[in-house]
């Protein structure tokens, strides 16, 4: 039986069903679908469209179906096209004609849009909470790193010594922005589509505001045509997750580099690394590699949906069914990645000594010598060139920079004291930079913002 049999002389072909069905993937929405149906029924009672006896029977039937899903007893039929038709079919089996009243004043168009928004609210809360928990690990390690420093890189070339805490928090700030984005997406999508019908509303006295508040949405739709065809919120989540994935991928890349023998900054815990089936000595950073690798599909899912949406005429079109698999996949993959990366970082041990030994190169503080000359009145470009030629001289003649600086009339003993990287970090004074004081205040700012996000996402969940 189809939902449209009255108008049709024959049932659907098997090719049509297998090509167009969505049950195989939208069944994960059963909870949202039943919640939406219950709110719809309460709305129908509230507006006097159905009697409260019928309404109570429908609510009761929907509770029975909930129990069937929870106990894994719900039986799908070949003819069930999607989660909506499966649940409505079962309700009619249980209640007869009363079950057939469920869909009064509702279309699958406003129904699926409602399910997807409820699902999105739930998963944003879940993903956000996992991002918060990853940030906590960065914060914890940043705190315990104290005064440890390492070479900071630009162009993957050693640039300046920086505090390890400073470096780790740089990743943390990117994840805080991800949290902001997820929260903003949540706020925008927190709108109930129920009552829009197929696209134009209804002649029945539905009360979309009542249903919106029953479902915990902040508002109802403003335009029924828009709300049944709008999938901006799915695109936004996919973007938020894609960018979150990009950030995870950058962390992954760094851990891959840092755990090589060449860098040796980090040792991965055995439980969070893999071995080789052939080479007995190998220890691989597979979590980090897949955090990097899986980002491809996160970006792909975003591109796929944007391409589907492009050029769609208003309002609902079946193309919109393509919003689901990508979203489900991105949510699942990013959640797995967040947990695995969090575990990998939390259990890693950092080789502070090795980081320091790499950062303790005189050349990494060459810019401080130029700034020393600037303080004495020399134009920066001239100072840069003077120090640059000393560096070149030092490399070519294999003389320590320290000796050349000490002997130089404009630099001398006072400037040579600047060549110690630890003291270079102590002398950094700019806010947000890699000096101890600036990093201490950054740590407390970060931790305050993280507390706020933790609370905000716990409230969403
Ligand atoms: N499976 C459909 C979707 O995901 C549900 C809505 C179907 N609406 C329709 N008019 N055929 O979009």
């Amino acid at each position: 039986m189809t939902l449209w049999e009255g108008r049709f002389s024959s049932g659907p072909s098997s090719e049509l069903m297998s090509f167009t069905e969505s049950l195989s993937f939208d069944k994960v929405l059963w909870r949202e679908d039943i919640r939406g149906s219950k709110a719809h029924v309460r709305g129908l009672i509230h507006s006097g469209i159905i009697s409260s006896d019928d309404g109570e029977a429908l609510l009761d039937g929907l509770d029975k179906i909930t129990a069937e899903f929870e106990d894994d007893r719900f039986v799908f039929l070949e003819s069930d096209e999607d989660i909506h038709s499966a649940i409505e079919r079962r309700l009619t089996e249980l209640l007869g004609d009363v079950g057939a009243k469920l869909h009064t004043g509702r279309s699958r168009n406003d129904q699926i849009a409602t399910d997807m928004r409820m699902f999105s609210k739930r998963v944003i809360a879940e993903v956000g909470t996992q991002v918060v928990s990853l940030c906590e690990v960065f914060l914890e390690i940043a705190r315990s790193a104290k005064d440890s420093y390492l070479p900071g890189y630009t162009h993957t070339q050693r640039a300046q010594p920086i505090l390890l805490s400073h470096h780790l928090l740089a990743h943390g700030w990117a994840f805080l922005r991800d949290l902001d984005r997820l929260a903003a997406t949540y706020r925008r999508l927190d709108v109930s589509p129920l009552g829009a019908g197929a696209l134009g509303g209804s002649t029945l006295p539905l009360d979309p505001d009542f249903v919106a508040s029953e479902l915990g949405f902040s508002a109802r739709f403003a335009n029924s045509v828009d709300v049944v065809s709008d999938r901006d919120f799915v695109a936004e989540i996919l973007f938020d997750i894609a960018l979150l994935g990009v950030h995870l991928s950058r962390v992954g890349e760094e851990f891959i580099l840092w755990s090589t023998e060449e860098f040796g900054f980090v040792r991965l815990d055995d439980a969070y690394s893999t071995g080789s089936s052939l080479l007995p000595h190998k220890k691989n950073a597979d979590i980090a590699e897949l955090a990097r690798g899986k980002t491809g599909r996160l970006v792909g899912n975003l591109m796929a949906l944007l391409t589907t949406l492009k050029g769609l005429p208003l309002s609902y079109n079946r193309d919109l069914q393509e919003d689901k698999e990508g979203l489900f996949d991105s949510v699942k993959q990013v959640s797995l990645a967040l947990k695995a990366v969090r575990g990998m970082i939390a259990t890693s041990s950092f080789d502070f000594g090795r980081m320091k030994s790499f950062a303790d190169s005189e050349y990494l503080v060459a810019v401080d010598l130029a700034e020393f000359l600037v303080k004495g009145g020399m134009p920066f470009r001239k100072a840069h060139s003077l120090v640059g030629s000393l560096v070149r001289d030092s490399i070519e003649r294999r003389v320590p920079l320290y000796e050349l600086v000490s002997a130089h009339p404009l630099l001398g003993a006072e400037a040579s004291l600047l060549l110690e990287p630890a003291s270079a970090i102590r002398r950094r004074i700019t806010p947000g930079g890699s000096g101890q004081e600036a990093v201490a205040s950054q740590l407390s700012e970060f931790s305050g913002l993280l507390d706020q996000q933790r609370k905000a996402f716990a409230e969403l969940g």
Side-chain angles (χ1 to χ4, degrees):
M1 195 187 83
T2 61
L3 299 173
W4 54 82
E5 58 180 0
R7 162 75 174 76
F8 284 63
S9 59
S10 76
S13 65
S14 63
E15 296 91 322
L16 177 132
M17 279 303 276
S18 40
F19 184 52
T20 63
E21 67 82 26
S22 54
L23 183 66
S24 53
F25 48 88
D26 69 14
K27 59 183 168 210
V28 301
L29 295 171
W30 70 264
R31 245 177 233 288
E32 283 77 16
D33 202 69
I34 293 179
R35 249 188 87 204
S37 286
K38 288 179 73 176
H40 178 62
V41 169
R42 283 193 286 267
L44 293 174
I45 305 173
H46 162 84
S47 303
I49 298 169
I50 60 171
S51 67
S52 45
D53 281 355
D54 282 353
E56 288 308 323
L58 287 167
L59 293 173
D60 193 51
L62 288 165
D63 284 340
K64 287 202 175 91
I65 296 175
T66 302
E68 290 181 1
F69 274 106
E70 276 171 350
D71 307 341
D72 221 2
R73 279 187 286 116
F74 188 93
V75 182
F76 289 107
L77 302 184
E78 277 283 289
S79 53
D80 293 338
E81 182 194 337
D82 51 28
I83 189 63
H84 326 298
S85 49
I87 290 172
E88 194 183 331
R89 187 258 312 149
R90 179 68 184 135
L91 195 65
T92 313
E93 274 169 19
L94 289 171
L95 304 178
D97 273 356
V98 176
K101 294 189 177 186
L102 172 70
H103 213 51
T104 313
R106 187 176 68 170
S107 156
R108 281 184 297 162
N109 300 352
D110 55 349
Q111 186 177 359
I112 186 59
T114 307
D115 290 4
M116 288 295 280
R117 283 177 191 254
M118 283 193 281
F119 175 84
S120 298
K121 287 171 71 172
R122 173 159 67 83
V123 295
I124 286 179
E126 285 166 13
V127 171
T129 302
Q130 286 161 4
V131 177
V132 166
S133 145
L134 176 65
C135 286
E136 278 162 359
V137 169
F138 277 110
L139 180 62
E140 218 168 277
I141 303 176
R143 279 195 177 123
S144 68
K146 302 227 158 49
D147 294 341
S148 305
Y149 57 89
L150 77 163
Y153 293 80
T154 59
H155 313 271
T156 328
Q157 306 286 339
R158 287 180 207 164
Q160 280 186 297
I162 55 171
L163 289 167
L164 176 60
S165 48
H166 191 59
H167 183 99
L168 294 173
L169 282 190
H171 288 300
W173 288 105
F175 290 116
L176 273 190
R177 287 193 297 277
D178 289 323
L179 288 170
D180 258 349
R181 258 183 295 273
L182 285 167
T185 299
Y186 185 104
R187 274 195 299 281
R188 263 190 297 278
L189 71 78
D190 192 11
V191 169
S192 170
L194 267 186
L199 78 163
S202 176
T203 60
L204 298 167
L206 301 169
D207 185 348
D209 287 303
F210 173 86
V211 178
S213 89
E214 281 287 303
L215 287 174
F217 281 107
S218 302
R220 63 151 166 87
F221 59 94
N223 180 319
S224 60
V225 175
D226 174 41
V227 82
V228 294
S229 63
D230 170 21
R231 293 296 183 275
D232 291 4
F233 65 100
V234 183
E236 281 192 50
I237 300 175
L238 288 175
F239 173 76
D240 297 346
I241 291 181
L243 191 53
L244 168 57
V246 167
H247 295 149
L248 285 170
S249 151
R250 297 183 72 176
V251 170
E253 172 64 11
E254 218 159 69
F255 270 72
I256 292 163
L257 286 175
W258 284 14
S259 62
T260 57
E261 251 175 90
E262 285 72 8
F263 271 82
F265 288 179
V266 124
R267 262 188 315 276
L268 301 181
D269 188 83
D270 283 357
Y272 287 87
S273 37
T274 53
S276 157
S277 59
L278 177 63
L279 310 172
H281 67 287
K282 289 295 297 292
K283 188 165 169 183
N284 300 327
D286 284 20
I287 290 178
E289 286 176 283
L290 278 171
R292 186 177 61 182
K294 279 183 192 266
T295 301
R297 69 204 259 189
L298 303 182
V299 174
N301 288 336
L302 170 65
M303 290 309 133
L305 181 68
L306 289 175
T307 311
T308 297
L309 297 180
K310 178 198 160 297
L312 277 191
L314 291 173
S315 62
Y316 179 84
N317 294 274
R318 192 64 181 270
D319 315 46
L320 293 176
Q321 179 169 293
E322 286 295 302
D323 62 350
K324 288 172 198 60
E325 286 161 289
L327 178 66
F328 299 161
D329 180 54
S330 285
V331 167
K332 181 175 173 199
Q333 294 306 327
V334 89
S335 301
L336 291 169
L338 282 163
K339 286 184 221 156
V341 168
R342 182 193 184 282
M344 175 189 78
I345 298 175
T347 55
S348 290
S349 42
F350 292 84
D351 190 336
F352 300 131
R354 185 152 167 104
M355 290 181 180
K356 178 177 179 307
S357 73
F358 280 21
D360 280 345
S361 151
E362 299 175 310
Y363 301 135
L364 267 63
V365 288
V367 68
D368 295 15
L369 294 174
E371 286 174 359
F372 172 87
L373 293 168
V374 163
K375 285 177 197 155
M378 186 181 286
F380 176 72
R381 198 43 63 209
K382 246 182 113 180
H384 181 286
S385 160
L386 188 156
V387 176
S389 61
L390 288 182
V391 169
R392 186 168 48 144
D393 205 18
S394 149
I395 293 169
E396 281 173 2
R397 296 200 288 124
R398 296 170 195 272
V399 185
L401 187 60
Y402 176 84
E403 285 178 21
L404 301 178
V405 169
S406 309
H408 195 282
L410 296 174
L411 291 161
E414 196 191 338
S416 71
L417 292 177
L418 304 179
L419 286 172
E420 203 197 309
S423 82
I425 287 176
R426 272 196 296 278
R427 286 191 316 273
R428 298 247 174 84
I429 51 170
T430 45
S434 210
Q436 266 103 347
E437 244 178 72
V439 171
S441 72
Q442 187 190 149
L443 273 165
S444 76
E445 189 188 349
F446 184 89
S447 135
L449 290 170
L450 188 57
D451 285 344
Q452 285 174 19
Q453 295 286 12
R454 186 183 305 106
K455 266 194 219 105
F457 278 92
E459 278 164 23
L460 296 185

